[in-house]
């Protein structure tokens, strides 16, 4: 009696899209597992934005006034989309830059580069892991926002589109963080360099104050700020105060401007990160 030969196990070609996807998922899982094993990072990432929300909602809300919307409750609904965007921006860019700088400093990027894996898997896996972490942070932020009086007024579908815009913006900024992590020489430098661009990006915007209250030059910068477009689009989709008729072109078309900014930033930063990664291995 002859035993039939076992069917050959299909293998993935070295350059196949399926193998590249598998490599990306492996790196994504590796980054998430490393984060889970450091619970202090998770706790700080969740607690810090909640503390800021409570401070602004119950201490500073009465000191701010909005054109056409008065009272602390109106400002709480106005500020929450700004806090969503700010939290995503800070958490994503900082985590990407510091984690990537750690991998470079410890020699992990050289080890991954020597393995038979997709060339861009290490970078893409880093940004996808950040997107997963952002989703968890967003859930906590929404629960905190509901506690301070924030509400969704335009239905579930439009709210889902708003959260998608926030995550897309975070994904784009994570590529900026990857570029910084591949450029600096130490993780400490990556952490410090984020403040140089994240603070102007978040505070020189419509996240917490109406741009109409700013001087002319600062108002123009805030109106064309990528974060302002996302915040304005999210407010429009949620139905929160801050949606205005007229004004500059970005204010009238915030969803389109937000999508455009996120795609341009992601594509540009991805190209720069890939070039930097290849140059480091040359």
């Amino acid at each position: 009696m002859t035993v039939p030969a076992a069917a050959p196990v299909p293998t993935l070609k070295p350059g196949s899209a399926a193998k590249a996807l598998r490599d990306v998922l492996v790196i994504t899982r590796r980054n998430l597992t490393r984060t889970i094993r450091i619970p202090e990072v998770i706790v700080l990432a969740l607690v810090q934005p909640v503390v800021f929300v409570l401070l602004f909602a119950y201490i500073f809300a009465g000191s701010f006034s909005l054109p056409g919307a008065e009272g602390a409750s109106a400002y709480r609904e106005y500020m929450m989309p700004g806090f969503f965007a700010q939290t995503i921006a800070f958490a994503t860019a900082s985590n990407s830059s510091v984690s990537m700088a750690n991998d470079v400093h410890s020699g992990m990027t050289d080890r991954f580069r020597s393995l038979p894996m997709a060339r861009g898997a290490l970078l893409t896996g880093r940004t996808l892991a950040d997107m997963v972490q952002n989703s968890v942070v967003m859930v906590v932020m929404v629960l905190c926002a509901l506690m301070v009086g924030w509400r969704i007024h335009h239905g579930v579908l439009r709210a889902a589109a708003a959260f998608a815009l926030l995550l897309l913006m975070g994904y784009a900024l994570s590529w900026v963080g990857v570029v910084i992590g591949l450029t600096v020489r130490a993780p400490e430098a990556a952490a410090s360099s984020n403040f140089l661009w994240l603070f102007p990006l978040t505070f020189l915007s419509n996240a917490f104050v109406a741009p109409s209250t700013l001087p002319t030059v600062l108002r123009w910068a805030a109106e064309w700020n990528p974060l302002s477009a996302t915040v304005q689009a999210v407010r429009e989709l949620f139905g929160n105060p801050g949606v205005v008729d007229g004004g500059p072109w970005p204010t009238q078309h915030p969803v389109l401007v937000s999508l455009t900014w996120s795609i341009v930033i992601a594509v540009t930063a991805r190209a720069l990160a890939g070039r930097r990664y290849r140059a480091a291995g040359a």
Side-chain angles (χ1 to χ4, degrees):
M1 178 176 179
T2 59
V3 179
V9 178
T11 58
L12 299 174
K13 296 181 179 180
S16 67
K19 182 180 184 303
L21 177 61
R22 186 187 65 181
D23 293 340
V24 169
L25 294 178
V26 168
I27 296 298
T28 302
R29 181 180 178 182
R30 172 250 181 186
N31 291 329
L32 293 174
T33 301
R34 186 172 64 174
T35 301
I36 293 174
R37 290 176 178 176
I38 309 176
E40 296 86 353
V41 175
I42 302 176
V43 172
L44 290 175
L46 297 178
V47 171
Q48 183 175 352
V50 171
V51 171
F52 273 103
V53 168
L54 295 178
L55 284 175
F56 271 79
Y58 294 108
I59 297 179
F60 301 120
S63 303
F64 292 93
S65 61
L66 300 175
E70 300 296 335
S73 59
Y75 182 77
R76 290 184 187 123
E77 288 213 348
Y78 176 86
M79 75 175 190
M80 283 315 306
F83 269 112
F84 292 153
Q86 183 200 48
T87 301
I88 291 294
F90 269 90
T92 301
S94 298
N95 193 45
S96 295
S97 60
V98 174
S99 297
M100 185 57 63
N102 272 319
D103 284 342
V104 173
H105 186 68
S106 63
M108 287 301 299
T109 54
D110 294 330
R111 294 183 61 183
F112 282 121
R113 194 180 286 110
S114 66
L115 297 176
M117 59 184 293
R119 185 177 293 269
L122 179 62
L123 308 182
T124 305
R126 174 69 267 162
T127 56
L128 289 181
D130 290 334
M131 180 176 286
V132 175
Q133 295 175 37
N134 281 337
S135 301
V136 176
V137 172
M138 186 61 63
V139 172
V140 176
M141 288 291 294
V142 168
L143 294 177
C144 182
L146 292 173
M147 290 175 57
V148 301
W150 171 80
R151 295 294 183 268
I152 295 172
H153 301 286
H154 285 171
V156 176
L157 294 180
R158 290 171 68 89
F163 290 123
L165 282 178
L166 289 168
L167 292 177
L168 179 61
M169 181 205 67
Y171 182 74
L173 294 180
S174 69
W175 280 109
V176 178
V178 169
V179 173
I180 294 174
L182 291 171
T183 303
V184 299
R185 296 185 179 182
E188 295 81 5
S192 300
S193 63
N194 287 316
F195 291 97
L196 297 177
W197 65 279
L198 282 175
F199 267 98
L201 180 72
T202 54
F203 287 100
L204 188 56
S205 69
N206 63 358
F208 305 113
V209 297
S212 60
T213 63
L214 300 175
T216 303
V217 176
L218 297 181
R219 181 174 69 248
W220 182 88
E223 290 169 348
W224 287 90
N225 186 332
L227 193 82
S228 292
T230 300
V231 173
Q232 183 73 7
V234 169
R235 286 184 180 130
E236 182 179 281
L237 293 170
F238 285 145
N240 297 146
V243 179
V244 297
D245 296 326
W249 193 84
T251 304
Q252 299 179 47
H253 307 86
V255 176
L256 176 61
V257 176
S258 176
L259 283 172
T260 303
W261 268 120
S262 295
I263 293 173
V264 169
I265 293 173
V267 171
T268 304
R270 174 65 177 86
L272 292 175
R275 179 181 300 180
R276 184 66 185 173
Y277 183 67
R278 291 190 298 269

